[in-house]
Amino acid sequence: MKLSKFIFITLIILSSFGCKKKEVSESDFEKDVMNTVFIEIVDSIYMDRRTMYPPPMPRRDFKTNKEDTIGYHDKLKRYQIEQDSIKNDNHRILIGVHDFIVSNGINDSKFDLTPFKNNKKFDFQYASKYPEEIYWDINDKKSKMPVGTITVHKIHFNKSKTLGTLDASASCGGGKCGQGFQITIENKSGKWHITKIFDTWVS
């Protein structure tokens, strides 16, 4: 009787351990996939507040209904030089990343930025290091603030774990611009890549 009870308890312990191990492995799988596609996601959706404003427009004289082009061409030239300078800048682009992966509108697991610390294009920092985005001055092109922020949500996989979908959003700060996306990723020939991006909201 005692032996049967001991075996029963042992089986329960081993069963619970097995379930926990499976849960951890699924979490690790999602983390590995996220690490694989994160740079591609950022490169596809990030917003750079330095490039948000359109080129200057010539003033219009409402009395004559004619455009006043005095000084306009110089302004347009300066704008184009500034935009070219941003595009040709070899410095890493500072991006604020939401500290947590979001699941069902709630902060889930901490987003680990360690795998991306040596990325040549982007310098990723936690968004919590900076003031709230609503207070950012998007006209300030020379500050040490991020050019924008990225938030990613939990990945939902199909049963065979060959395809996944996730929501993500990008913002340039200041409450002036933001956009949401639904992203489809797929494992083709052993490598995960984005296959589709749909806009879900714009502000």
Side-chain angles (χ1 to χ4, degrees):
M1 183 72 179
K2 289 184 179 180
L3 180 61
S4 299
K5 189 175 182 181
F6 173 78
I7 292 172
F8 178 72
I9 293 171
T10 303
L11 288 172
I12 290 176
I13 293 171
L14 290 173
S15 175
S16 63
F17 177 76
C19 292
K20 187 175 182 181
K21 187 176 181 181
K22 184 179 179 182
E23 182 181 336
V24 170
S25 65
E26 287 179 358
S27 176
D28 287 344
F29 173 77
E30 181 183 355
K31 183 178 179 181
D32 289 342
V33 174
M34 180 67 79
N35 289 348
T36 300
V37 297
F38 180 66
I39 298 297
E40 189 178 357
I41 289 172
V42 174
D43 209 16
S44 300
I45 70 171
Y46 83 96
M47 305 177 83
D48 190 331
R49 60 191 170 85
R50 300 173 299 172
T51 63
M52 286 295 104
Y53 276 97
M57 299 295 292
R59 292 179 298 178
R60 182 172 292 276
D61 187 333
F62 292 102
K63 292 181 180 179
T64 62
N65 201 31
K66 293 182 179 180
E67 290 182 346
D68 180 6
T69 58
I70 296 175
Y72 167 68
H73 294 294
D74 287 338
K75 289 181 181 178
L76 183 60
K77 187 176 181 179
R78 286 197 299 271
Y79 172 84
Q80 290 172 338
I81 290 172
E82 184 180 63
Q83 292 301 303
D84 288 341
S85 175
I86 293 169
K87 291 176 184 176
N88 296 325
D89 187 358
N90 292 323
H91 291 87
R92 297 165 75 201
I93 301 170
L94 179 58
I95 301 284
V97 180
H98 188 70
D99 295 39
F100 294 89
I101 293 174
V102 178
S103 178
N104 297 320
I106 301 172
N107 291 340
D108 189 21
S109 56
K110 181 83 171 180
F111 195 104
D112 184 10
L113 294 177
T114 307
F116 319 108
K117 65 179 180 180
N118 295 321
N119 185 264
K120 293 182 179 180
K121 183 172 182 178
F122 298 108
D123 175 12
F124 296 112
Q125 301 292 331
Y126 288 117
S128 60
K129 289 180 61 176
Y130 306 96
E132 288 185 56
E133 289 178 66
I134 196 169
Y135 300 115
W136 294 10
D137 180 5
I138 65 171
N139 294 310
D140 183 2
K141 300 178 177 67
K142 296 182 179 179
S143 73
K144 295 182 179 180
M145 297 287 288
V147 301
T149 63
I150 294 288
T151 301
V152 292
H153 293 235
K154 187 177 178 65
I155 303 172
H156 299 280
F157 295 99
N158 63 354
K159 289 184 179 180
S160 61
K161 288 187 167 53
T162 56
L163 186 143
T165 59
L166 70 148
D167 291 330
S169 59
S171 170
C172 67
K176 302 290 184 181
C177 53
Q179 194 164 358
F181 307 88
Q182 185 181 76
I183 300 171
T184 301
I185 59 175
E186 192 170 350
N187 187 340
K188 293 184 176 181
S189 302
K191 294 182 180 180
W192 286 91
H193 288 290
I194 295 173
T195 54
K196 293 178 184 177
I197 298 180
F198 292 105
D199 298 345
T200 53
W201 58 266
V202 177
S203 65

